[in-house]
Amino acid sequence: MPVPQNVATDYGFRVHAPGYITPTEARAWFEDLKIRVLALQGKSFGMLVDSRSQKANPPDTQELIKEAMVWLRGHGMERSVVVLDSTVALIQILRLAKATGVYAYERYMDALKDPEWEAKAVGWIKHAIDPDLPQAEQTQAR
């Protein structure tokens, strides 16, 4: 399995992280992302993590993901979205996000249930349009 890929976007980064990720692959991904984030020189950013086809990862990989979540949040990540198509992966990422304090800034989308997941994800990242709230509630909140 290839190392998860980090791609620069107009909102920050899009990460393609499919399948089973080994600790070595997770470390290489995180080191690459650190370099990219540090190059922003403190500018805030958003992130879309495309984890479709990802299943449960080993404990060491989960620890690296937790480390990355904390580091990214501390280095300018404002909002993020994780796109999944697996209940097992969703449960795992929710547990990690709650443990790291990232949960409040992150949204989770099931690509199998929502064909508009990408537009909604970018709306959250770029404009804070919460995909979990009905449109009427968002208008009232602004």
Side-chain angles (χ1 to χ4, degrees), residues 8-13 33-47 71-72 75-78:
T9 67
D10 65 329
Y11 54 78
F13 302 98
L33 194 54
K34 278 183 182 179
I35 291 166
R36 292 168 182 263
V37 168
L38 291 173
L40 296 175
Q41 300 178 339
K43 181 181 171 196
S44 64
F45 62 93
M47 187 162 26
W71 189 90
L72 291 164
H75 285 81
M77 184 177 72
E78 287 187 348

Side-chain angles (χ1 to χ4, degrees), residues 11 15-16 22 24 32-34 45 54-55 69 72 84-86 88-89 96 101 121 127 129 133 139:
Y11 54 78
V15 178
H16 183 64
T22 67
T24 301
D32 176 68
L33 194 54
K34 278 183 182 179
F45 62 93
Q54 189 174 108
K55 305 304 179 215
M69 289 173 151
L72 291 164
L84 305 129
D85 59 6
S86 161
V88 172
L96 297 176
H127 308 292
I129 300 170
L133 291 178
T139 305

Side-chain angles (χ1 to χ4, degrees), residues 2-3 5 8 10 13 15 24 35 38 54 56 83 91 98 110-111 115-116 119 123 125 128 130 139:
V3 173
Q5 300 296 307
D10 65 329
F13 302 98
V15 178
T24 301
I35 291 166
L38 291 173
Q54 189 174 108
V83 181
I91 291 168
K98 288 177 180 178
D110 186 335
E116 301 294 319
I125 294 167
D130 194 332
T139 305

Side-chain angles (χ1 to χ4, degrees), residues 7 18 32 49 58 64-65 75 89 98 109 123 132 135:
V7 177
D32 176 68
V49 181
L64 285 165
I65 292 169
H75 285 81
K98 288 177 180 178
M109 306 191 79
D132 295 337
Q135 193 65 31

Side-chain angles (χ1 to χ4, degrees), residues 49-127:
V49 181
D50 185 349
S51 293
R52 290 175 294 164
S53 79
Q54 189 174 108
K55 305 304 179 215
N57 286 305
D60 288 347
T61 297
Q62 292 178 49
E63 287 304 310
L64 285 165
I65 292 169
K66 281 173 48 178
E67 181 184 334
M69 289 173 151
V70 171
W71 189 90
L72 291 164
R73 184 72 187 139
H75 285 81
M77 184 177 72
E78 287 187 348
R79 287 179 294 281
S80 60
V81 173
V82 179
V83 181
L84 305 129
D85 59 6
S86 161
T87 302
V88 172
L90 174 62
I91 291 168
Q92 188 175 80
I93 199 68
L94 286 172
R95 183 177 50 77
L96 297 176
K98 288 177 180 178
T100 61
V102 172
Y103 181 76
Y105 310 97
E106 193 161 74
R107 298 298 179 265
Y108 310 91
M109 306 191 79
D110 186 335
L112 296 176
K113 293 180 182 173
D114 190 348
E116 301 294 319
W117 65 264
E118 190 164 13
K120 290 178 181 178
V122 172
W124 168 247
I125 294 167
K126 290 175 81 171
H127 308 292

